[in-house]
Amino acid sequence: MLRVDGSRIVAGDQPVVLRGVGLGGWMNMENFITGYPGTESQQRKALRRVLGDDGYTRFFDRFLDAFFTDDDAALLAGLGLNSVRIPFNYRHFEDDAAPFELETEGFARLDRVVDACARHGIYTILDLHAVPGAQNQHWHSDNPTQWAHFWSQRQFQDRVVHLWERLADHYKDHPWVAGYNPVNEPADVEGTTIGPFYRRLEAAIRAVDPGHILFLDGNRYSTQFDQLGDPLPNCVYTAHDYAKPGFVDGGPYPGVSRGEYVDRDRVEETFLARTAYMRETGTPIWVGEFGPVYTGDLARDEQRYRLLEDQLEIYGRHEASWALWTYKDIGLQGLVTVDPTSPYARRVAPVMEKKARLGVDSWGSTDAGIRAVMQPIEDLFAREFPDFQPYPWGATRWIHGHVRHVMLAEAMVGDFAKAFEGVTPDEAERLADSFALERCRVRENLAEVLRRAAAVGEPTR
């Protein structure tokens, strides 16, 4: 079983650098990964309405079975990767109508992928990506509101502790589970709850499973660590390291992105700032998320690959473990992408076009098509509320969050549902099959970048 030894992760006496991917979009769905607008819960409710209970169940059962199989694990192992971070939504284990009553189905789904990875020599990190009440302000915590209620409600915190006690008991003897990533990208506005909660959670997990590593995200979307106090034993602290030139509105690399000149030196400076806590405390570094999005423009995408190669070289020199975001999606960022001619992709194409035109997704779209709407609102706030700088990213992104990613996104959920009107249960299963590896495409340039990075700096396990 892996453990922390000073600034290293080790298996016995052997150092292990975790190099892998995140399995975004599977047990925690995200709008840009599979094409729907809004949040996972909004999408599911809409699809149940149009598909009926049988069609809904068969679609999602097949989707969850097809999205990651032994074939996917074999592909990753063939690239030399040795780890997969598995995000999941608490709703696979617990219904809000029956808190603390855990369901076995979630454990069975996790087991299948954990065991598939283990058969191919791949460690897994279990990542609770969406918690009751939402731990951050955005869609990927299944939050439709931009309010993170988890930090102010003890009942939500109690439910997370209870879930992790059960997960830890279930996996305590599994050597290919590298450890537990208890809360993805927390965003505690006051910054006073996260440190005590982590200590409470660590004690609860250790009482059940004293052996596994905890991978703890910093506050403010895993970029701020000064509120966590001294490091806890056998814990790895994880930074998320998205670079400005890698965003959809990023500029050339090297060049100016969002008003800042970014080159390789600046990328390393940002990494060093985000991992200062780990280096100052002598604990291991794990970059739990990073990676650019791809535009389809060959010249721009080549610059994105260059950015990624620079990041990976920096991580290698600093002996940092990493998990690229993300493994599989419908074409924006994944190592593996759904075939654009597949039945699923063709069916959701009009929704994708409308989402892009209105800038509905936070990740992967811009407001270019609705500047005439956004500019007056931004001007109003600048004029009337010049000191208003809400957590976590200030007024402009808060405005866009409310207008584009909440209001317009919620209004568009009905468009997504209409795309599935008339689909029979048999057809629903066939649509979900579009996510099976044999029906997808591998982004070969990205695969080659990862293959080279995995081969550098052995040993890996």
Side-chain angles (χ1 to χ4, degrees), residues 126-257:
L126 308 185
D127 155 35
L128 183 53
H129 219 75
V131 308
Q135 75 277 11
N136 62 44
Q137 292 77 19
H138 289 110
W139 81 99
H140 46 83
S141 60
D142 203 6
N143 185 350
T145 69
Q146 283 207 123
W147 290 97
H149 293 293
F150 174 80
W151 304 104
S152 61
Q153 299 290 331
R154 175 73 181 216
Q155 59 168 317
F156 294 145
Q157 298 163 26
D158 291 347
R159 287 165 64 183
V160 166
V161 170
H162 178 252
L163 174 56
W164 273 114
E165 287 174 331
R166 287 287 301 276
L167 286 163
D169 185 61
H170 188 77
Y171 290 106
K172 63 186 177 184
D173 296 320
H174 204 308
W176 286 101
V177 172
Y180 313 132
N181 189 190
V183 182
N184 174 68
E185 292 193 344
D188 173 11
V189 176
E190 302 297 331
T192 56
T193 304
I194 185 171
F197 176 72
Y198 271 175
R199 293 178 185 278
R200 176 192 175 197
L201 185 60
E202 187 262 353
I205 292 174
R206 297 292 188 226
V208 177
D209 176 1
H212 274 104
I213 296 171
L214 298 190
F215 294 83
L216 299 179
D217 283 25
N219 200 20
R220 202 168 181 260
Y221 294 72
S222 209
T223 63
Q224 182 181 9
F225 297 86
D226 61 330
Q227 297 158 333
L228 303 188
D230 294 333
L232 293 164
N234 203 32
C235 286
V236 172
Y237 291 82
T238 171
H240 290 185
D241 192 32
Y242 292 103
K244 289 182 179 181
F247 289 107
V248 67
D249 59 352
Y253 180 76
V256 176
S257 290

Side-chain angles (χ1 to χ4, degrees), residues 144-373:
T145 69
Q146 283 207 123
W147 290 97
H149 293 293
F150 174 80
W151 304 104
S152 61
Q153 299 290 331
R154 175 73 181 216
Q155 59 168 317
F156 294 145
Q157 298 163 26
D158 291 347
R159 287 165 64 183
V160 166
V161 170
H162 178 252
L163 174 56
W164 273 114
E165 287 174 331
R166 287 287 301 276
L167 286 163
D169 185 61
H170 188 77
Y171 290 106
K172 63 186 177 184
D173 296 320
H174 204 308
W176 286 101
V177 172
Y180 313 132
N181 189 190
V183 182
N184 174 68
E185 292 193 344
D188 173 11
V189 176
E190 302 297 331
T192 56
T193 304
I194 185 171
F197 176 72
Y198 271 175
R199 293 178 185 278
R200 176 192 175 197
L201 185 60
E202 187 262 353
I205 292 174
R206 297 292 188 226
V208 177
D209 176 1
H212 274 104
I213 296 171
L214 298 190
F215 294 83
L216 299 179
D217 283 25
N219 200 20
R220 202 168 181 260
Y221 294 72
S222 209
T223 63
Q224 182 181 9
F225 297 86
D226 61 330
Q227 297 158 333
L228 303 188
D230 294 333
L232 293 164
N234 203 32
C235 286
V236 172
Y237 291 82
T238 171
H240 290 185
D241 192 32
Y242 292 103
K244 289 182 179 181
F247 289 107
V248 67
D249 59 352
Y253 180 76
V256 176
S257 290
R258 297 182 177 180
E260 177 186 5
Y261 183 82
V262 181
D263 59 8
R264 188 193 167 287
D265 289 342
R266 182 57 184 150
V267 169
E268 184 162 15
E269 289 171 8
T270 302
F271 164 78
L272 291 173
R274 289 173 173 169
T275 59
Y277 176 88
M278 299 75 153
R279 289 176 291 104
E280 290 166 1
T281 57
T283 52
I285 298 171
W286 181 51
V287 180
E289 288 185 23
F290 71 107
V293 303
Y294 302 98
T295 66
D297 179 276
L298 293 178
R300 290 188 71 189
D301 286 352
E302 192 57 40
Q303 294 178 357
R304 304 292 168 101
Y305 292 127
R306 190 182 316 151
L307 167 65
L308 179 61
E309 288 178 316
D310 284 349
Q311 287 185 287
L312 290 167
E313 188 277 330
I314 290 165
Y315 301 161
R317 278 194 293 105
H318 291 276
E319 299 182 332
S321 294
W322 46 264
L324 179 77
W325 195 261
T326 186
Y327 170 61
K328 185 181 286 186
D329 70 1
I330 56 174
L332 182 70
Q333 196 172 16
L335 169 63
V336 172
T337 67
V338 169
D339 189 329
T341 67
S342 69
Y344 181 89
R346 292 199 307 269
R347 184 166 288 273
V348 303
V351 182
M352 297 288 294
E353 184 280 328
K354 188 171 182 178
K355 285 203 303 173
R357 176 164 48 86
L358 299 179
V360 166
D361 287 352
S362 175
W363 203 256
S365 68
T366 73
D367 70 336
I370 56 168
R371 278 311 297 164
V373 174

Side-chain angles (χ1 to χ4, degrees), residues 360-387:
V360 166
D361 287 352
S362 175
W363 203 256
S365 68
T366 73
D367 70 336
I370 56 168
R371 278 311 297 164
V373 174
M374 303 308 301
Q375 190 67 57
I377 301 175
E378 293 173 18
D379 292 344
L380 172 67
F381 271 78
R383 183 173 63 252
E384 300 289 349
F385 311 107
D387 299 324

Side-chain angles (χ1 to χ4, degrees), residues 42-78:
Q42 291 170 332
Q43 172 216 202
R44 283 177 170 268
K45 183 178 180 180
L47 287 184
R48 186 183 289 276
R49 186 176 69 249
V50 296
L51 294 176
D53 288 344
D54 186 31
Y56 170 91
T57 299
R58 288 172 64 178
F59 174 81
F60 280 102
D61 282 351
R62 182 58 191 148
F63 171 83
L64 289 164
D65 286 345
F67 198 94
F68 194 93
T69 68
D70 247 80
D71 291 340
D72 295 278
L75 170 65
L76 296 174

